[in-house]
Amino acid sequence: MSAAPTSKGDSPGPRNVLGIDIGGTKMAVGVATPEGKLLASDRILTTVGEGPGAALGRLIDLCRRVIARSGEPVAVAGVGCVGPLDQKGGLVLSPVNLPGWDRVPLVQTIREALNAPVFLDNDANAAAMGEHRFGAGRGVANMIYLTISTGVGGGIIIDNHLYQGESGNAGEVGHMSVDFNGRPCGCGNIGCIEQYASGTAIVKRMREALEAPGGNKSVLRDLAADEITTKAVIDAAEAGDMTAKRVWDETILALGTALASFIHIFNPRRIVLGGGVTNAGEHLLGPLREATRKRTVRPMMDIVDIVQAELGHDVGIFGAIAVGLERDGRAEKL
């Protein structure tokens, strides 16, 4: 599995890339060619209760099995992991979704086990890089990526490279404020997108609306708490439920306001939306394009595509593969 270059006359060295996606629920691993052909992949539960040592041991075993199934060694590995992270030091710094993972030397552990260079980035940045290289952002130099799921995250691609900012934390789009008198956020800010557009926030606001005057007229009023999902809200809104429609319209307005600001600041060619909330498809994208258009200077809006992500459940693996390629500087060499 060594990534060392071969001498002249030897057979070509390893070309394939290992992608590792680490989240609070599952860990996914895949091996692909530099062009993005997935050769082998698998996933296991993270099982955070067993601690980082045991989880990483199972992850290393999974990596070895997937590499063996791919049929060839790997040249480099990329890792996308929930943050916060110390990217330069290769450390995981106590993420909320990975309790007990305090200053875990993730890069060193994987590098020593697999004998290959390893590069680390947070999961949202990795997903942005994956969609840019292999998914809905292909061929576009300037792109904004948002993942809208339990929370809201994202990444910014400028001139074909991820923009990281001074300390590596650029792209925290979920905590951009869209209402300075708005809802408080756990980050300490007020009116963050995450408090309006995330799946968690949509459900929370729907439950509040059901308890408010007039909420008893909603078709969702008799559902159990765990049956009130983002999909249920969208379906009810599409069916004409006025309470659900108010919640969904507010979601679209907040998100459209944010996208307009992104367009004015970064002048992107494409905005790519991923995550569970985007499963609504055109029920989200259609009204969102219109809401964004109303708040954006026309010449800038006219060149922007707002599209759904393409990589689906494999976005974490492809994102990690993109991290490995980008950071190793091998994209033109392999």
Side-chain angles (χ1 to χ4, degrees):
M1 282 176 219
S2 173
T6 57
S7 61
K8 187 175 181 180
D10 291 343
S11 61
R15 301 179 69 251
N16 295 339
V17 186
L18 177 69
I20 302 170
D21 176 35
I22 302 175
T25 302
K26 54 88 179 168
M27 299 185 287
V29 171
V31 173
T33 67
E35 297 77 25
K37 180 181 179 181
L38 191 62
L39 302 175
S41 66
D42 205 347
R43 59 190 66 208
I44 57 175
L45 295 177
T46 307
T47 319
V48 294
E50 67 185 5
L56 287 180
R58 292 190 299 107
L59 176 64
I60 296 299
D61 288 342
L62 180 65
C63 290
R64 288 173 173 149
R65 293 197 302 272
V66 171
I67 292 170
R69 281 166 41 200
S70 74
E72 295 182 13
V74 295
V76 62
V79 183
C81 182
V82 294
L85 309 171
D86 175 354
Q87 292 183 32
K88 292 182 179 179
L91 306 176
V92 181
L93 304 177
S94 299
V96 172
N97 294 329
L98 293 174
W101 291 51
D102 183 20
R103 299 192 64 80
V104 172
L106 184 61
V107 167
Q108 178 183 346
T109 301
I110 297 172
R111 183 179 62 234
E112 291 178 352
L114 301 182
N115 191 27
V118 179
F119 299 91
L120 173 67
D121 211 324
N122 73 57
D123 54 349
N125 280 347
M129 296 167 70
E131 284 289 343
H132 178 249
R133 183 178 288 271
F134 301 117
R138 291 189 307 276
V140 172
N142 298 291
M143 183 193 100
I144 306 293
Y145 172 80
L146 273 75
T147 178
I148 311 169
S149 188
T150 304
V152 177
I156 302 162
I157 304 292
I158 298 177
D159 292 335
N160 290 310
H161 294 287
L162 180 76
Y163 177 68
Q164 293 186 288
E166 186 67 23
S167 63
N169 292 309
E172 284 290 347
V173 295
H175 297 292
M176 174 180 170
S177 179
V178 292
D179 184 351
F180 59 80
N181 286 321
R183 303 171 71 91
C185 181
C187 74
N189 195 6
I190 298 293
C192 293
I193 302 171
E194 192 165 283
Q195 295 303 311
Y196 297 90
S198 69
T200 305
I202 293 168
V203 170
K204 180 180 180 180
R205 287 167 32 243
M206 187 68 226
R207 289 173 178 167
E208 292 173 354
L210 291 173
E211 295 175 0
N216 61 348
K217 298 179 182 179
S218 172
V219 298
L220 302 180
R221 66 187 183 280
D222 295 327
L223 293 183
D226 60 356
E227 294 178 318
I228 300 175
T229 63
T230 298
K231 184 178 186 305
V233 174
I234 296 169
D235 289 347
E238 289 296 315
D241 186 298
M242 296 308 298
T243 305
K245 189 174 185 303
R246 284 195 297 273
V247 171
W248 186 238
D249 287 349
E250 184 183 53
T251 301
I252 297 295
L253 176 60
L255 194 52
T257 300
L259 296 194
S261 295
F262 296 148
I263 293 168
H264 290 144
I265 296 168
F266 294 106
N267 190 27
R269 177 66 181 82
R270 187 165 297 161
I271 296 176
V272 178
L273 305 178
V277 174
T278 66
N279 290 335
E282 283 301 314
H283 294 313
L284 169 69
L285 295 174
L288 179 57
R289 292 184 186 110
E290 183 60 26
T292 305
R293 181 175 295 279
K294 288 179 179 179
R295 288 160 181 78
T296 305
V297 174
R298 182 169 180 178
M300 299 178 76
M301 183 67 198
D302 286 347
I303 65 167
V304 179
D305 298 325
I306 301 175
V307 302
Q308 191 166 1
E310 293 181 359
L311 297 177
H313 294 302
D314 288 330
V315 66
I317 290 175
F318 279 107
I321 289 166
V323 168
L325 284 169
E326 171 103 357
R327 300 291 156 73
D328 196 41
R330 303 177 66 91
E332 286 73 38
K333 302 175 187 177
L334 296 177

